[in-house]
Amino acid sequence: MNKTWTRIVIVVVAAAAVAFWVFFDKQRAPEHQIDTTLNAMPAWQVIKEQEPALHQRILDQMAALQKAGEPEQHIIDTIQPQLLHLQMSRLQNAPDANVVNYMTINMEQTAAIQKVSDDACFRFLYPMVKGGVNPMRMLDKDLMTRRMQADADMMRAAYGKDRHTVTPAEREAAVEDVRPIMKELADKYGEDIQLLQMPEKAVGKEKLSCDMVQAMWAKVLALPEQKAARVIRLAVSELE
C-alpha cells in the first residue's frame, strides 16, 4: 500500500520546476542575466530568500550546462530534482489550504496537458520513462501563473505563523484515509493499477496511466481539506 502510494506521488509531482519552464520559454539569456530573468518567477524569489546556497548552486549549474550547449530538456531534468526535494520538504510544514491548492493546480496542469495528447501527459508524469516535456509550450499563461503563485505561497506559508507540524497520529490517520481510495482504484482497474508502480511497463497504455493518476487524485482532493492535506503530506514524505 505505502510503496504503491509513494511511487504514484513521485511521478505526479516530479515535473515541478515551473520557474525553469518559464525560463526556457524565453530566449536563452547570457549567464549574467539568468538570475535577473528568473527573478520574475515567484517561486524563485522564495528560494532566493529561504535557501541562498541552493539558489546559487542552481544558478551555477544552469550557467555551466547552458555554456556547454546542453539541450533544454537536459537542463530542466538536472534542476528539477533539487526543486522537487525542496518543495516536498515544505509541504510537510505548509498549512492545509496551501497543500491542497498546490496539488489541485498540479492536477489541473495534468488534465490540460492530456488534452494536448495522452503521450504528452504520460511524459509529463513519467519523464524518466520516455523523456519529459516543457509544459510552458503547451499550457495557457493563466494556468502557469497560478501554478507559480501556488508554489511560492505554499513555500512561504511553510515558514509562516500558521506553520504546520506533522505528528505520528496524523500519519496514521492519513493511511486510513487513503486505504479505501486505493481499494476503489484496484477494484476499478484490476491488475492495471500496478502500472502506477511500474510506469516503464505502461508504454502503449499512456491514456490509461494518465486516467488512473487523475482518478486517484480526484478522490483525494474530494476529501475534507484537513484529510486531503494529511494524505498529500504522507504521500510526499518519502521524497524529503
Side-chain angles (χ1 to χ4, degrees):
M1 173 76 70
N2 289 344
K3 183 179 179 182
T4 300
W5 181 252
T6 301
R7 285 298 303 272
I8 292 170
V9 174
I10 288 173
V11 299
V12 172
V13 299
V18 177
F20 303 102
W21 295 336
V22 178
F23 170 75
F24 284 111
D25 191 50
K26 302 176 183 291
Q27 184 176 1
R28 289 194 170 197
E31 291 179 31
H32 67 281
Q33 291 183 8
I34 293 177
D35 190 36
T36 301
T37 302
L38 289 173
N39 275 337
M41 320 309 166
W44 182 249
Q45 294 173 15
V46 178
I47 293 173
K48 196 171 185 177
E49 295 167 12
Q50 296 180 348
E51 301 287 342
L54 174 63
H55 165 265
Q56 189 59 53
R57 184 168 73 244
I58 290 175
L59 278 181
D60 292 344
Q61 284 183 315
M62 292 182 72
L65 291 168
Q66 182 173 310
K67 187 175 182 179
E70 294 291 347
E72 168 187 294
Q73 195 61 49
H74 175 72
I75 299 177
I76 293 174
D77 291 345
T78 300
I79 300 304
Q80 277 181 327
Q82 299 172 68
L83 186 58
L84 173 65
H85 178 85
L86 176 63
Q87 290 186 334
M88 296 309 96
S89 177
R90 293 293 187 270
L91 278 169
Q92 299 303 308
N93 299 117
D96 293 347
N98 294 97
V99 172
V100 171
N101 188 46
Y102 176 92
M103 191 58 69
T104 297
I105 294 181
N106 196 305
M107 295 317 299
E108 279 188 51
Q109 284 185 291
T110 303
I113 291 175
Q114 190 170 17
K115 290 181 179 179
V116 176
S117 74
D118 294 322
D119 183 70
C121 178
F122 186 85
R123 289 175 183 273
F124 175 66
L125 295 177
Y126 302 97
M128 74 293 289
V129 177
K130 296 177 66 176
V133 296
N134 184 342
M136 195 65 195
R137 305 197 186 285
M138 302 178 183
L139 303 179
D140 65 71
K141 184 177 180 180
D142 175 69
L143 178 54
M144 294 304 298
T145 298
R146 289 191 294 112
R147 170 61 197 275
M148 286 189 288
Q149 193 60 55
D151 287 359
D153 290 346
M154 181 276 291
M155 289 162 55
R156 189 165 278 122
Y159 275 16
K161 61 182 178 62
D162 296 321
R163 175 187 172 92
H164 180 82
T165 300
V166 177
T167 64
E170 176 183 325
R171 292 194 183 281
E172 291 175 10
V175 171
E176 294 307 310
D177 291 335
V178 78
R179 200 180 301 278
I181 290 176
M182 298 307 293
K183 184 179 184 304
E184 283 185 54
L185 291 172
D187 290 344
K188 179 176 181 179
Y189 293 107
E191 292 185 1
D192 281 331
I193 196 172
Q194 296 301 316
L195 298 177
L196 296 172
Q197 281 185 284
M198 300 175 287
E200 66 277 3
K201 295 186 177 182
V203 176
K205 294 187 175 182
E206 288 83 358
K207 182 181 187 305
L208 176 62
S209 296
C210 287
D211 288 347
M212 285 193 293
V213 168
Q214 291 178 80
M216 182 202 71
W217 281 110
K219 292 179 183 298
V220 172
L221 294 170
L223 295 171
E225 183 176 83
Q226 182 184 37
K227 289 186 177 183
R230 69 193 184 197
V231 167
I232 294 167
R233 293 192 193 100
L234 172 69
V236 305
S237 62
E238 296 294 327
L239 297 176
E240 290 186 82

